[in-house]
Structure formats: C-alpha cells, structure tokens
Amino acid sequence: MTRERTLVQIALYAAIIAVLGLMPKFDLPLAGGVPITAQSMGIMLAGVMLGAWRGAAAVSLFLLVVALGAPLLAGGRGGLGVFFGPSAGFLLGYPVAAFVAGFIMQTLKNQPVLPVALVAAVVGGILVLYPLGIVGMSALGSLSPLDAAKASLIFIPGDTIKAVLVALVAQTVARGLPDALISRAS
C-alpha cells in the first residue's frame, strides 16, 4: 500500500469521526459531565476498518485537530480544555481503543468478519476504553472511582448498539469492497 493511500485513509477516518460529532450529544447528570455521543462509534470503526496502527493514527489526528481548537467534538467542543474535563479519560483512551480493535481484527483476519468485528469493537470500544474513561471521570470530574464506574454503565447499551453497527458495516464492506477493509489485508 502506498504511503499516500495510507495518509488518505487516516485522514478519511479522522473526518468520519469529526462528522459523527455533528450528531447531537446527550448530557446526563449522572455521568459526571461526560456526554453520550456518536463519536465513539467512529473510534471503533477506525480500528476495525484500518487496523491497529492506522486506526490509532486516524484517531490521534482527529484529537490533534481538536486540541488545536477545532470544535469537532459533539456539541461543538474543542481546544485543549476538553482534555482537562471529565471526558479526558475517554478522549485520551480513544487511540488505545482503536489500536486494540484493529489489533484484534488483524490477529483474527482469517476468521469470519462479522463476529470478529463485533468482538473487536466491544473489546476496544468498551472493555479497553471504559477503564480509561472511568479514571478520567474520577480524577477530573466530581465522582469517586466507584461512582464513576457506576455512571459509566449508562453508556453500555448505546455502545453495544454502536459495536453491532460497526460489525455490520465491516461485514458489508468485506463483501462489496474487500480491499477497503485494511485491517484484514495481508
């Protein structure tokens, strides 16, 4: 794969994550100021579709643009301040989550796409991301670690639906444009 094509793919998935920020966020008082957004689906998708390193690079590019002040997070948030609020653990965990999802896709590339993509999205986007998010909610929010862990439970149903959608997208792409599923390439 050419370097130019890789850069375009990284930029494309960073843009997809940004576009998902246009969907309204839902603020929940129980979650210590961490909103429900569609952007976590973009994180899962970047890892599942691009693989470990490219997925993490796409998410990191997105976060860099946010840090530079672009209001790309749901609700029009951006700038360095977002990395010092209760969402910081989730934001900083995004590249790790994408990396893990992509690593699982690459490791199990000879297995059926749908179940592997679902497992990858759940493991990266929930099991890996939530502990980092909980630490951020506790350290930078007004919640104890136990309360932050309890509050994060509210995100599980939505993130599970997002993981299923990501798996369905990966399956559809694998059938129609298998070369676009970079995480499965040899």
Side-chain angles (χ1 to χ4, degrees):
M1 176 172 303
T2 67
R3 179 181 171 153
E4 292 80 16
R5 185 172 177 193
T6 296
L7 292 175
V8 167
Q9 291 166 335
I10 289 169
L12 174 64
Y13 279 86
I16 289 170
I17 298 166
V19 167
L20 288 170
L22 296 174
M23 296 182 73
K25 68 180 177 116
F26 298 97
D27 290 310
L28 302 169
L30 300 175
V34 177
I36 293 176
T37 74
Q39 287 179 305
S40 55
M41 186 169 112
I43 306 312
M44 295 176 197
L45 194 61
V48 165
M49 298 300 291
L50 295 180
W53 290 107
R54 288 181 186 96
V59 175
S60 297
L61 174 61
F62 168 76
L63 292 175
L64 173 65
V65 174
V66 167
L68 292 173
L72 300 177
L73 292 174
R77 299 170 298 134
L80 287 176
V82 298
F83 296 97
F84 296 96
S87 296
F90 287 102
L91 295 174
L92 296 174
Y94 279 175
V96 178
F99 181 90
V100 169
F103 182 78
I104 291 169
M105 287 296 290
Q106 290 172 299
T107 302
L108 301 175
K109 68 182 179 182
N110 295 322
Q111 302 302 314
V113 172
L114 185 68
V116 172
L118 180 59
V119 167
V122 168
V123 171
I126 297 174
L127 298 179
V128 169
L129 184 59
Y130 279 38
L132 300 169
I134 290 166
V135 168
M137 288 170 68
S138 178
L140 299 168
S142 58
L143 299 173
S144 71
L146 180 59
D147 287 340
K150 288 180 192 175
S152 70
L153 294 175
I154 197 150
F155 300 119
I156 290 177
D159 284 344
T160 302
I161 292 169
K162 293 172 200 171
V164 169
L165 291 173
V166 165
L168 291 171
V169 166
Q171 175 68 32
T172 302
V173 168
R175 285 185 181 158
L177 292 168
D179 290 343
L181 195 59
I182 306 307
S183 63
R184 309 284 281 194
S186 297

